[in-house]
Amino acid sequence: MTGNTLSGLLDEGDVAGLQRWLGEHPPHEIADELARADPVRAVLMFRLLDKDSALTVFEELDPGAQQNVLSGLRGKAFGDVVEGMDPDDRARLLGEAPAKFARRVLDGLSPRSRAMTAALLGYPEGSVGRYMSPRTVAIRGHLTAARALDVVRARGEEAETVYTLPVIDDHRRFLGTLELRDLVLSAPERPVTELADTKTPRVKATDDAEAAARLMQEANLLALPVVDSEDRVLGLLTIDDAVEVIEAADTEDVARQAAAAPLSGHYMSASVVQLARSRAVWLLLLIVAATFTVNVLQFFEATLEQVTTLALFIPLLVGTGGNAGAQAATAAVRALAVGEVRTRDLPRVAWRESRVGLVLGLMLAVVALGVGTLLVDFPIAVTVALSIVLVCCWAATIGATMPLVAKRVGIDPAVISAPLVTTIVDATGLIIYFLIARAVLAL
Amino acid sequence: MTGNTLSGLLDEGDVAGLQRWLGEHPPHEIADELARADPVRAVLMFRLLDKDSALTVFEELDPGAQQNVLSGLRGKAFGDVVEGMDPDDRARLLGEAPAKFARRVLDGLSPRSRAMTAALLGYPEGSVGRYMSPRTVAIRGHLTAARALDVVRARGEEAETVYTLPVIDDHRRFLGTLELRDLVLSAPERPVTELADTKTPRVKATDDAEAAARLMQEANLLALPVVDSEDRVLGLLTIDDAVEVIEAADTEDVARQAAAAPLSGHYMSASVVQLARSRAVWLLLLIVAATFTVNVLQFFEATLEQVTTLALFIPLLVGTGGNAGAQAATAAVRALAVGEVRTRDLPRVAWRESRVGLVLGLMLAVVALGVGTLLVDFPIAVTVALSIVLVCCWAATIGATMPLVAKRVGIDPAVISAPLVTTIVDATGLIIYFLIARAVLAL
């Protein structure tokens, strides 16, 4: 089995086999193998690539893996790679790297590339500026289609994309965007201003990159113009970078939703310690919060000693409440992320989720009533059933509204994770359960 | 507040205000408002749009909302919209619609559009064929760049995209892809075969759409050629559709991860009953599974009556185990979804996650030992601490491996939801807890 994989061939020291494998596979598959390998093997494999494919493969790696590979390169090999990178990719690599490494990269660059990279690094982390391509072909508004096409031919080789062309005035201010398609299909003498779309949205370089990427997705754009505070065109955010931004944001949300910190690299290349570290903080916070459930149960210990059978339904009750809360929280976080819900929808969300919780609670209460009567007795069953109705209603309401509240006060809504909601619902659910038990069982 | 929104203006019957609002907002924002509105309002708003923007807005809606709007249109307005849609969008709309509605749409089409749509509908749901654009400009391999550009000029108006051009032989078989950029920048006399990329991946129309979309993302492609079983070019999967496929798949995964069925439409336009229905099945299954925790506790009821204080730590213990399991399951599901983990990694994943669980368990055990000693007594604290180590280790291992096992046997790994893992860990965790309690407390 290992003989078919790159690292299997590496284990066997089969250089000819390795080179054959590398020649037969597309860059993104090679990049995937590199990302899964440990740093030493990754560098060994990378060195076997010819110069052209080396750069293509390198561009497909995420910044963590890029750093691993670069750390193992010296001299010209190092210089060729860093100089060949797109300025935005380079800025992203440096943004995450330690200062010493960043210095080495910057020293290996030509003055022009260094200036371009430094400019992008001037924008805050997570902003559009870090992801935009500064190398675009801007078209003056007074040109004809034929002249504009000449400009594309003269300067297109250098640009990252020529499919969307920003149209500018004499002061480089944004007038609209021009699609290369329209330019190619148009009559040569038509003025650019007639072909340009002046309604395309644009963003500032300091704007949030995720919001810009989602906007591109909603508006089906291949590239989004990026401007400065005086509306001068700085570059374009291209769809491949936008897709990456969205995937990274989704991966982060997914991790947060399970109460873990997002991993910076590839799952398979992360060490046990890295994985444990990404999950430890939340688990610690949650176990401390869960201590409150011990306090609640201590408070009701006398009731519990009187009727030990009440304890039998604790996991079922808190589990069900937790599940209902987790469902609601996850739905709300996702709806916020994709823009279906806004913070001002809070009252509507609370009202509908409380009814959803009620409907679900009533349905589950029927099951609990049956199970409880069958396994224990009717009064206990009634206690459990009533508790489930209230707990579900409560769980769905706070599960769905907490992410909106978090967003409104400026916290990432995804930190309202399923485990966090579950833990909160556990403690409050127990209070509801024992209060109902005391009433129903007349304790 | 409502005065600023489209539905606020609608409430006030302010037609002039509505038309001003529609004129000032880009299509994707108008589409978002329509998607949030109830069907009747959505149709009212849609009718106020002029013909050109109506189609653009319509294309931005998801199939559910499109159906709502179309159901409210008659005669020519209906025909214009369905005829103006891209064939792949139309196929997607019809794929989800009831038969009667689909018939009405097909009847409103020109014979050519009807044939094209029917062809796409012949592919299975979720396959590339349902999402591809059949309207592309294919270039014969023997042409020069100048001649190829003439073909683009002659036939480009009709095509959905001209940035990626499939290159074909005389039998329409796939030879490679040509970027419009290279065509425009190239010397006119160069042959197309020299400019084409013959290594671009391609997919079959019957392949899974999500896998194809992720491939595009990894390989940074704007369009992916789609072929039939004899390698003849059928169309292109474009990046905007790929992004939609990925977003829908991620939304589905997120919902599944919280043990809910994915909603087919917009969160805010879903009714309370629809929301409840999407969550009910899993909650029912899980409460039935949770009944097992009642059985476990009944089995240990004598132990519980002897030492009621054991009950105090049940929520903390099962909660912590559930959290550790949920973290591991979520990480594994996401890593599978983005292609970082494959099913054959199962042994490696199991081995590393068991160690991650051990590390986390040891850390949490220290907290539990402190809390337990402080609130109750040392022997109970030792019981809880030991249980936490074992439960965390077990939870992380099965949480991470279950999604891989699911995938191997052909089940969507995302159904291994955090609540499912939690429920399984609850029951097994209780068994571990009481067995340790009997040993430590010598009961």
Side-chain angles (χ1 to χ4, degrees):
Chain A
M1 184 174 132
T2 50
N4 298 323
T5 65
L6 201 52
S7 68
L9 292 165
L10 203 63
D11 285 338
E12 294 155 21
D14 179 0
V15 174
L18 277 166
Q19 275 169 332
R20 202 173 336 111
W21 194 98
L22 292 169
E24 283 165 359
H25 286 76
H28 71 272
E29 287 181 23
I30 300 174
D32 189 46
E33 286 294 331
L34 291 188
R36 296 165 62 89
D38 59 66
V40 177
R41 280 150 171 273
V43 173
L44 283 174
M45 294 182 210
F46 188 76
R47 282 201 184 135
L48 289 172
L49 292 164
D50 61 77
K51 206 183 133 184
D52 277 355
S53 26
L55 195 60
T56 322
V57 168
F58 190 81
E59 281 170 350
E60 305 269 347
L61 295 171
D62 61 38
Q66 287 183 334
Q67 209 181 309
N68 283 343
V69 167
L70 272 184
S71 305
L73 298 180
R74 294 282 169 277
K76 192 164 159 5
F78 181 89
D80 283 347
V81 171
V82 296
E83 184 68 29
M85 291 176 78
D86 283 329
D88 55 324
D89 293 340
R90 199 156 50 213
R92 222 139 57 231
L93 167 65
L94 295 185
E96 295 188 11
K100 205 180 144 193
F101 178 87
R103 173 91 350 248
R104 213 184 129 214
V105 171
L106 286 171
D107 287 348
L109 290 175
S110 66
R112 182 155 177 272
S113 298
R114 195 182 305 148
M116 223 182 245
T117 305
L120 296 187
L121 279 171
Y123 297 107
E125 222 176 299
S127 70
V128 173
R130 287 284 182 102
Y131 294 89
M132 70 177 176
S133 312
R135 296 186 308 186
T136 58
V137 180
I139 303 286
R140 295 294 169 97
H142 59 76
L143 299 182
T144 59
R147 287 279 310 281
L149 208 47
D150 289 340
V151 174
V152 173
R153 288 212 169 93
R155 295 187 21 230
E157 207 63 65
E158 274 239 311
E160 199 170 319
T161 179
V162 294
Y163 293 147
T164 303
L165 307 157
V167 181
I168 54 171
D169 68 8
D170 292 341
H171 304 285
R172 235 194 130 68
R173 271 192 299 257
F174 179 85
L175 294 179
T177 55
L178 184 59
E179 285 277 302
L180 182 63
R181 173 196 181 124
D182 295 330
L183 206 52
V184 167
L185 299 180
S186 140
E189 66 285 355
R190 276 189 79 183
V192 156
T193 38
E194 270 183 29
L195 298 169
D197 179 356
T198 54
K199 270 189 168 181
T200 0
R202 57 191 184 276
V203 291
K204 291 212 181 69
T206 48
D207 284 353
D208 177 50
E210 187 188 342
R214 300 240 184 238
L215 170 67
M216 287 182 71
Q217 179 182 1
E218 273 177 46
N220 287 336
L221 300 173
L222 291 180
L224 178 67
V226 183
V227 296
D228 66 11
S229 55
E230 273 147 71
D231 217 19
R232 284 177 302 223
V233 172
L234 296 171
L236 288 171
L237 181 61
T238 53
I239 184 74
D240 55 323
D241 290 326
V243 169
E244 241 178 63
V245 168
I246 291 176
E247 180 180 274
D250 281 353
T251 297
E252 211 178 292
D253 276 4
V254 167
R256 291 238 164 86
Q257 270 291 284
L263 277 177
S264 67
H266 195 287
Y267 175 79
M268 290 307 286
S269 66
S271 68
V272 168
V273 173
Q274 280 173 321
L275 285 176
R277 201 186 292 146
S278 73
R279 302 176 191 170
V281 175
W282 269 108
L283 281 184
L284 275 173
L285 288 175
L286 292 172
I287 203 175
V288 170
T291 305
F292 189 55
T293 62
V294 183
N295 301 133
V296 170
L297 289 174
Q298 272 188 317
F299 182 81
F300 291 108
E301 204 170 351
T303 313
L304 202 53
E305 273 173 8
Q306 264 182 285
V307 193
T308 319
T309 39
L310 279 176
L312 306 186
F313 292 90
I314 289 177
L316 180 138
L317 180 77
V318 298
T320 301
N323 293 343
Q327 286 178 334
T330 308
V333 168
R334 182 67 185 168
L336 275 171
V338 299
E340 287 183 0
V341 166
R342 303 155 194 168
T343 51
R344 65 175 150 89
D345 291 321
L346 183 61
R348 274 180 71 193
V349 169
W351 170 230
R352 65 213 306 258
E353 285 289 348
S354 63
R355 285 175 299 157
V356 172
L358 185 67
V359 171
L360 293 171
L362 287 170
M363 177 192 78
L364 297 172
V366 176
V367 179
L369 200 62
V371 170
T373 314
L374 209 71
L375 295 181
V376 187
D377 61 29
F378 188 68
I380 297 276
V382 169
T383 305
V384 175
L386 284 177
S387 304
I388 279 184
V389 177
L390 280 182
V391 168
C392 283
C393 194
W394 160 244
T397 311
I398 71 151
T401 52
M402 276 177 67
L404 275 77
V405 173
K407 177 146 191 190
R408 189 172 279 181
V409 299
I411 299 171
D412 180 354
V415 306
I416 309 302
S417 60
L420 178 62
V421 171
T422 303
T423 305
I424 294 169
V425 170
D426 280 1
T428 45
L430 289 171
I431 299 176
I432 293 174
Y433 181 48
F434 279 96
L435 290 180
I436 290 182
R438 282 188 177 175
V440 171
L441 307 176
L443 298 172
Chain B
M1 187 173 132
T2 52
N4 296 322
T5 66
L6 201 51
S7 69
L9 292 165
L10 203 62
D11 285 338
E12 293 156 22
D14 178 0
V15 174
L18 277 166
Q19 275 168 332
R20 204 174 332 110
W21 194 98
L22 293 169
E24 282 166 359
H25 286 75
H28 71 272
E29 287 182 24
I30 298 173
D32 189 49
E33 286 294 331
L34 290 189
R36 296 165 62 88
D38 60 66
V40 177
R41 279 151 173 272
V43 174
L44 282 175
M45 292 183 211
F46 188 79
R47 282 202 183 134
L48 288 172
L49 291 164
D50 61 79
K51 204 184 134 186
D52 279 353
S53 27
L55 196 58
T56 322
V57 167
F58 190 80
E59 282 170 349
E60 306 269 348
L61 295 172
D62 60 38
Q66 287 183 334
Q67 207 180 311
N68 281 345
V69 168
L70 272 183
S71 306
L73 298 181
R74 293 283 169 276
K76 192 167 158 6
F78 180 89
D80 283 348
V81 170
V82 295
E83 185 68 30
M85 290 177 80
D86 284 328
D88 56 323
D89 293 340
R90 198 158 48 212
R92 224 139 55 232
L93 168 65
L94 295 186
E96 296 186 12
K100 202 178 146 195
F101 178 86
R103 173 91 349 247
R104 210 182 132 216
V105 171
L106 285 171
D107 287 347
L109 290 176
S110 67
R112 183 157 176 269
S113 298
R114 196 181 306 146
M116 225 183 245
T117 304
L120 296 186
L121 278 171
Y123 297 105
E125 220 176 300
S127 70
V128 173
R130 287 284 181 101
Y131 294 91
M132 70 177 179
S133 313
R135 298 187 307 187
T136 57
V137 180
I139 303 286
R140 295 293 169 98
H142 60 77
L143 299 183
T144 60
R147 289 276 313 281
L149 209 48
D150 289 340
V151 174
V152 173
R153 287 213 168 92
R155 297 187 19 228
E157 207 63 66
E158 273 239 313
E160 198 169 321
T161 179
V162 293
Y163 294 147
T164 303
L165 307 158
V167 181
I168 54 171
D169 68 9
D170 292 342
H171 304 284
R172 232 192 135 71
R173 271 193 299 258
F174 178 84
L175 294 178
T177 54
L178 184 60
E179 283 278 301
L180 182 64
R181 174 197 180 124
D182 295 329
L183 206 53
V184 168
L185 299 181
S186 139
E189 67 284 356
R190 277 189 78 182
V192 156
T193 39
E194 271 183 30
L195 297 169
D197 180 357
T198 54
K199 271 189 166 179
T200 0
R202 57 189 182 277
V203 290
K204 292 213 180 67
T206 49
D207 286 353
D208 176 52
E210 186 188 345
R214 301 242 183 235
L215 171 68
M216 290 184 69
Q217 178 182 4
E218 273 177 44
N220 287 336
L221 301 173
L222 290 180
L224 178 66
V226 183
V227 295
D228 66 12
S229 56
E230 274 148 71
D231 218 21
R232 283 178 304 223
V233 172
L234 296 171
L236 289 171
L237 180 63
T238 54
I239 184 74
D240 53 324
D241 290 325
V243 169
E244 239 177 65
V245 168
I246 292 177
E247 182 180 274
D250 281 353
T251 298
E252 210 177 294
D253 276 5
V254 166
R256 292 240 162 85
Q257 270 291 284
L263 278 177
S264 67
H266 195 289
Y267 174 81
M268 291 306 286
S269 66
S271 68
V272 169
V273 173
Q274 280 173 320
L275 284 176
R277 201 186 293 146
S278 72
R279 302 176 191 171
V281 176
W282 269 108
L283 281 184
L284 275 173
L285 288 176
L286 290 172
I287 204 173
V288 170
T291 306
F292 189 54
T293 61
V294 183
N295 301 131
V296 170
L297 289 174
Q298 273 187 317
F299 182 81
F300 292 107
E301 203 169 353
T303 313
L304 202 55
E305 271 174 8
Q306 262 181 288
V307 193
T308 319
T309 38
L310 280 175
L312 305 187
F313 291 91
I314 288 177
L316 179 138
L317 180 77
V318 298
T320 302
N323 293 344
Q327 287 179 332
T330 308
V333 168
R334 183 67 184 168
L336 275 171
V338 299
E340 289 183 357
V341 167
R342 303 155 195 168
T343 51
R344 64 175 150 88
D345 291 322
L346 183 62
R348 275 180 71 192
V349 169
W351 169 232
R352 65 215 307 257
E353 285 288 348
S354 63
R355 286 175 298 158
V356 172
L358 185 67
V359 170
L360 293 171
L362 287 171
M363 179 193 77
L364 297 172
V366 175
V367 179
L369 200 64
V371 169
T373 314
L374 208 73
L375 295 182
V376 186
D377 60 29
F378 189 67
I380 297 275
V382 170
T383 305
V384 175
L386 284 176
S387 306
I388 278 184
V389 176
L390 280 181
V391 168
C392 283
C393 194
W394 159 246
T397 311
I398 70 150
T401 52
M402 276 176 67
L404 276 76
V405 173
K407 179 149 190 186
R408 189 172 279 181
V409 299
I411 299 172
D412 180 354
V415 305
I416 310 302
S417 60
L420 178 62
V421 171
T422 303
T423 305
I424 293 169
V425 169
D426 280 2
T428 46
L430 289 171
I431 299 177
I432 293 173
Y433 181 49
F434 279 95
L435 290 179
I436 290 181
R438 281 186 178 179
V440 171
L441 307 176
L443 297 172

